[in-house]
Amino acid sequence: MSENTNFIEERIIEDLNSGKVKAIQTRFPPEPNGYLHIGHAKSLCINFGMARKYGGKCFLRYDDTNPVKEDEEYVQSIEEDIKWLGFKWDKLLFASDYFDVMYECALKLIKKGKAYVCDLNAEQIKQTRGTLTQPGTDSPYRNRSVEENLRLFAEMKEGKYQDGEKVLRAKIDMASPNVNMRDPVIYRIVHARHHNTGDKWCIYPMYDFAHPIEDAHEGTTHSICTLEFEDHRPLYDWVVRECEFAQPHPQQIEFARLNLTNTIMSKRFLKRLVEEGKVSGWDDPRMPTLSGMRRRGYPAEAIRDFCDRVGVSKANSEVEFGYLEACVREVLNRDTDRVMVVLNPIKVTLTNYDESELLDVENNPNAQTVTYRKVPFGKHLYIDADDFSLNPPPKYYRLKPDGYVRLKGAYIIHCDEVAQDKKGNVKELLCSVVKDSKSGNDTSGIKVKGVIQWVDADDCMDCEVRQLDSLLVDATDEVKDFAERFNENSLVTINAKCEKSLKNSKVGDRFQFMRIGYYVKDRDSSAKKAVFNRIVGLKDSFKTK
Ligand code: ATP
Ligand code: MG
């Protein structure tokens, strides 16, 4: 957490200083209907971050008041992702465990004359709600007696009515300028089995009624949510007050959702990508889910750092995806070993070199203690075809006919001859090693500007490199719809040659492929072939400051 405070934090400090709350308590309340994505990371960082920073507690509470089919897969993934991001909940809770509390609250409201059973159907309720400029009209059932309401509500609970036949509404104010306060529905009939409570209930609380009760019942002090709930806050406060929860009451604080350029955060759409097979699963490394980003090789630390740096805002906006990548790159630049990989190999033969040796090549120049590994070097090498040019433009510092280049950690070589096939394709470069030009001990007197990576052709490994890109192409005026913006080139697979040291790497290990980018070993790797995902490129065009 940075030293800069934001409006959420200021409220917390104020409430602690004034003694309004003794300790803070927050919660992260996901609906278990999909995997967590980078937007959820923002909410996680705020809720868990505040609790941690101010010595409070943060609960993980599944918002499972909808009797939708529970998906154990989602529940498991949510817990795994939160732990991976580096947070630990103080309690694990299910909102559905409070159905009795919510039912008691509804009874209390009815007895206070603050709720009534209404026979209008959804369409009729909508039509009598009024508009932003017009007040609503009272339901003809608004003035039912407490006794009648108690009887009807009990019958609703007993299953006497069909879905939608009756609802329970809060009796607030049909002329309120805030539409949410115009006698909102707080309970509806749904004859559906709930994953937790089975067939016990056929009436279920609405979100706006359930959420404040969940918070108040648990002792949440600061209920942090996204901006679209701002207009619901008066209802939130009304529910807590009228249900007569003990003080201090939880207070809802809203902040702007995190949106990223070219990034889908709608669970519905992400689900569609999975179901239609556009991606390999929720954890496809191109997905903006936390499990996708984990597999993509994003360090949890970088995601936390990003959430912290973008800060908390009251206004919706879109953050450049490049900002997240810059945070990822920063951690990787600090932490990863550099290795040599040739994506597009072209053969080099060193005509004046007949030995083979093991060279000491630096692992990570940014490490506190720099270490070295042994890299085989011999007569036959591969370099990248892109590092050679038959017709080089001016200021071309890589290899060219009759030119010099330094092989990273090895020698300077000179290109003596280019072997081409009939069509003119370059087949092989015949080069010579410059005498006394060994890295770290170069007395050759030859100055070269270009340094390129290479691998020993007789002692290297084949690997698969997955060049991952954004799932969406840039929006244009014509094409704004996510479905039409799917980037068909978001996964390009390359068969590359890499140095042998990568043989010992484990799934999840991250590297800088020198001069190429950052890569992570994917779980699709086998004993025969290592598979690497591109995490992010080397170039940082995003200014974080
Ligand atoms: P859906 O609308 O698909 O249900 P949701 O965003 O409401 O998605 P939840 O599982 O209900 O998903 O969200 C859990 C918590 O994460 C909520 O408190 C929500 O406000 C927060 N959250 C979700 N998306 C974002 C986002 N993009 N930025 C910040 N917080 C988010
Ligand atoms: Mg939701």
Side-chain angles (χ1 to χ4, degrees):
M1 278 281 154
S2 68
E3 284 315 301
N4 300 330
T5 56
N6 55 58
F7 63 93
I8 295 177
E9 200 164 350
E10 273 153 25
R11 270 284 268 298
I12 288 172
I13 295 171
E14 198 182 302
D15 292 343
L16 285 169
N17 287 346
S18 71
K20 183 181 170 202
V21 302
K22 285 198 184 65
I24 68 159
Q25 191 175 305
T26 57
R27 82 289 170 271
F28 177 71
E31 224 175 305
N33 61 354
Y35 279 57
L36 298 183
H37 52 59
I38 181 72
H40 292 114
K42 177 81 218 173
S43 175
L44 285 163
C45 287
I46 297 175
N47 281 298
F48 282 94
M50 287 295 109
R52 185 179 285 174
K53 186 164 175 183
Y54 291 95
K57 289 193 162 74
C58 182
F59 296 167
L60 167 59
R61 181 217 303 151
Y62 290 108
D63 220 330
D64 61 346
T65 52
N66 249 339
V68 283
K69 212 179 81 212
E70 116 123 339
D71 218 321
E72 186 56 32
E73 180 193 355
Y74 297 141
V75 169
Q76 273 187 17
S77 76
I78 288 171
E79 288 165 33
E80 197 182 332
D81 290 346
I82 297 175
K83 283 189 239 168
W84 173 71
L85 199 57
F87 297 118
K88 237 176 94 188
W89 48 90
D90 290 284
K91 265 187 201 170
L92 176 63
L93 302 160
F94 289 83
S96 57
D97 283 339
Y98 315 151
F99 279 152
D100 286 302
V101 177
M102 293 169 193
Y103 181 71
E104 289 302 320
C105 285
L107 289 181
K108 179 173 244 155
L109 292 183
I110 294 173
K111 287 176 190 159
K112 288 170 77 174
K114 301 272 183 178
Y116 61 96
V117 173
C118 182
D119 299 5
L120 297 183
N121 62 33
E123 187 52 35
Q124 291 165 324
I125 289 177
K126 206 171 139 199
Q127 273 165 12
T128 51
R129 244 179 127 202
T131 64
L132 288 176
T133 49
Q134 296 274 312
T137 43
D138 286 1
S139 158
Y141 307 100
R142 196 171 201 261
N143 293 316
R144 277 176 164 155
S145 68
V146 169
E147 289 67 37
E148 191 181 6
N149 282 322
L150 285 173
R151 178 176 57 81
L152 292 173
F153 190 52
E155 288 175 358
M156 280 169 66
K157 178 175 180 262
E158 281 152 21
K160 201 167 164 195
Y161 305 108
Q162 298 302 306
D163 290 7
E165 215 179 316
K166 285 185 171 26
V167 291
L168 185 71
R169 296 176 71 175
K171 190 172 180 177
I172 309 179
D173 179 5
M174 288 306 290
S176 169
N178 184 334
V179 181
N180 296 302
M181 300 298 272
R182 294 180 190 168
D183 292 8
V185 174
I186 56 175
Y187 257 97
R188 63 190 168 134
I189 301 170
V190 187
H191 289 274
R193 199 181 154 75
H194 188 280
H195 74 91
N196 183 17
T197 54
D199 293 319
K200 179 174 175 194
W201 300 92
C202 63
I203 53 170
Y204 291 94
M206 302 299 287
Y207 180 89
D208 278 345
F209 181 63
H211 205 84
I213 294 175
E214 293 158 26
D215 284 341
H217 181 71
E218 285 167 8
T220 301
T221 56
H222 297 83
S223 175
I224 301 163
C225 66
T226 44
L227 224 47
E228 67 272 22
F229 292 102
E230 195 168 24
D231 291 344
H232 298 236
R233 194 189 330 137
L235 178 55
Y236 181 100
D237 292 340
W238 185 93
V239 171
V240 173
R241 197 172 60 242
E242 294 299 341
C243 293
E244 297 170 25
F245 279 97
Q247 298 278 356
H249 287 170
Q251 49 183 305
Q252 179 181 302
I253 309 175
E254 311 85 15
F255 70 98
R257 265 175 191 269
L258 172 69
N259 295 306
L260 284 174
T261 53
N262 280 1
T263 306
I264 317 156
M265 300 237 202
S266 142
K267 274 190 252 180
R268 236 184 51 233
F269 193 77
L270 293 175
K271 199 169 181 173
R272 218 175 104 190
L273 288 174
V274 174
E275 280 165 0
E276 288 176 6
K278 292 273 199 187
V279 294
S280 63
W282 284 93
D283 72 344
D284 185 293
R286 293 165 293 174
M287 291 280 269
T289 51
L290 292 182
S291 53
M293 289 183 167
R294 173 165 67 238
R295 190 166 165 200
R296 175 80 179 255
Y298 285 16
E301 176 190 351
I303 295 178
R304 292 196 307 267
D305 183 39
F306 166 73
C307 290
D308 197 19
R309 281 154 92 164
V310 295
V312 183
S313 160
K314 264 284 184 195
N316 281 313
S317 65
E318 216 177 37
V319 178
E320 283 290 325
F321 195 84
Y323 195 171
L324 173 58
E325 291 188 318
C327 294
V328 168
R329 202 178 281 116
E330 209 172 286
V331 172
L332 297 177
N333 182 39
R334 185 194 66 197
D335 290 349
T336 56
D337 283 349
R338 276 59 173 162
V339 294
M340 294 197 280
V341 176
V342 174
L343 292 186
N344 185 12
I346 174 174
K347 208 164 179 180
V348 169
T349 298
L350 302 175
T351 50
N352 65 344
Y353 184 90
D354 292 305
E355 308 157 46
S356 65
E357 54 187 308
L358 286 171
L359 300 175
D360 288 310
V361 179
E362 188 178 57
N363 287 322
N364 177 3
N366 296 324
Q368 291 210 318
T369 320
V370 176
T371 55
Y372 294 81
R373 69 185 179 288
K374 300 280 184 203
V375 179
F377 181 88
K379 188 174 183 69
H380 302 286
L381 308 173
Y382 290 116
I383 66 166
D384 202 291
D386 287 342
D387 285 332
F388 173 78
S389 177
L390 266 179
N391 302 296
K395 297 199 175 168
Y396 186 84
Y397 298 126
R398 291 165 279 164
L399 199 58
K400 57 190 171 192
D402 200 26
Y404 290 102
V405 80
R406 172 171 292 285
L407 299 176
K408 170 74 187 173
Y411 299 90
I412 298 173
I413 58 170
H414 178 264
C415 179
D416 306 317
E417 203 182 322
V418 181
Q420 288 166 276
D421 65 12
K422 287 196 191 86
K423 287 182 187 150
N425 298 315
V426 176
K427 283 281 142 208
E428 186 179 349
L429 305 174
L430 302 173
C431 301
S432 47
V433 170
V434 172
K435 204 167 170 278
D436 297 327
S437 67
K438 193 167 180 174
S439 269
N441 195 16
D442 180 3
T443 54
S444 67
I446 292 183
K447 293 274 166 276
V448 291
K449 284 200 170 149
V451 182
I452 62 172
Q453 80 275 20
W454 51 275
V455 295
D456 186 322
D458 301 318
D459 212 357
C460 66
M461 240 174 53
D462 288 322
C463 68
E464 179 179 321
V465 173
R466 295 178 179 171
Q467 303 292 63
L468 307 170
D469 206 343
S470 170
L471 277 177
L472 296 184
V473 295
D474 288 343
T476 60
D477 283 343
E478 305 87 73
V479 187
K480 290 204 176 88
D481 182 24
F482 280 160
E484 291 169 40
R485 286 173 57 198
F486 186 79
N487 179 5
E488 300 292 345
N489 297 319
S490 53
L491 170 61
V492 175
T493 299
I494 295 176
N495 287 311
K497 303 276 184 194
C498 64
E499 61 174 80
K500 224 173 49 173
S501 71
L502 283 171
K503 196 169 201 139
N504 302 322
S505 58
K506 296 188 294 294
V507 171
D509 282 355
R510 305 177 180 101
F511 301 93
Q512 184 194 100
F513 288 1
M514 274 182 48
R515 299 180 60 239
I516 304 173
Y518 294 98
Y519 289 79
V520 64
K521 187 160 178 180
D522 190 76
R523 64 151 192 258
D524 285 348
S525 298
S526 65
K528 275 207 181 109
K529 194 177 222 175
V531 177
F532 294 95
N533 297 325
R534 176 163 69 189
I535 308 171
V536 67
L538 287 179
K539 213 170 102 223
D540 189 354
S541 52
F542 193 86
K543 295 276 162 283
T544 51
K545 288 287 168 307

